[in-house]
Amino acid sequence: GGDAPENDLEALLVGTSKLRGYKEVILIPDAETSIRDSKLLSKLRVPVKILLFRPIRDPSSSREFFKRKRGRYIHPHYLTLASITGGSIHTNKSDIMNLKKMEAGKIFRTGQYQYRKRENGSFELIR
């Protein structure tokens, strides 16, 4: 839908409580929204692969619907979710892996934005 914030963690926790035998889960959120229930992150015990795509406003075909503009914003909540769970982020332009292994204080760039990893594993937008 486009409205923020999303109830992503609650959905992941309910889903994983009903299934067995998986090694990771996939989340396909609205790319620019925040995570409403981030306090639940510590309860999630499985790597989360996050697929971020942005629909264009007036799609002329289903293929056009999933095109992404280069250098678009990724909400730091999704970087944090991938980092803390040992997951990853995937767009049609790049794959962001190993965020959990990144040292605190390290800065990385994706598109035109820069993010810094904090001591607690979360990320902040710095530019």
Side-chain angles (χ1 to χ4, degrees):
D3 25 344
E6 296 287 308
N7 226 1
D8 299 319
L9 293 178
E10 185 175 324
L12 289 168
L13 287 168
V14 169
T16 55
S17 72
K18 296 179 184 279
L19 299 171
R20 298 285 176 250
Y22 55 86
K23 294 183 181 180
E24 60 193 11
V25 294
I26 296 172
L27 175 66
I28 306 173
D30 289 340
E32 295 177 358
T33 61
S34 62
I35 296 176
R36 172 177 32 208
D37 44 9
S38 57
K39 65 185 176 295
L40 299 175
L41 180 54
S42 64
K43 295 181 180 190
L44 196 58
R45 304 275 185 239
V46 60
V48 179
K49 288 189 173 195
I50 303 164
L51 307 180
L52 293 178
F53 296 95
R54 288 169 187 80
I56 60 174
R57 292 186 191 266
D58 187 24
S60 58
S61 72
S62 59
R63 177 174 288 166
E64 291 294 313
F65 187 78
F66 290 102
K67 277 192 176 175
R68 243 188 107 219
K69 290 184 179 176
R70 186 175 179 187
R72 297 285 301 267
Y73 174 71
I74 296 174
H75 198 288
H77 286 176
Y78 294 110
L79 296 168
T80 299
L81 176 58
S83 172
I84 290 176
T85 66
S88 54
I89 295 181
H90 306 274
T91 72
N92 65 333
K93 298 282 185 193
S94 65
D95 298 314
I96 303 170
M97 314 286 282
N98 300 316
L99 291 170
K100 186 172 190 158
K101 295 178 182 178
M102 183 183 289
E103 294 178 29
K106 196 89 160 152
I107 296 172
F108 83 98
R109 181 184 192 109
T110 179
Q112 64 192 28
Y113 297 95
Q114 291 182 352
Y115 301 86
R116 177 182 301 124
K117 186 171 184 181
R118 296 176 175 159
E119 289 290 329
N120 65 1
S122 69
F123 280 84
E124 65 181 328
L125 176 68
I126 57 171
R127 198 177 88 162

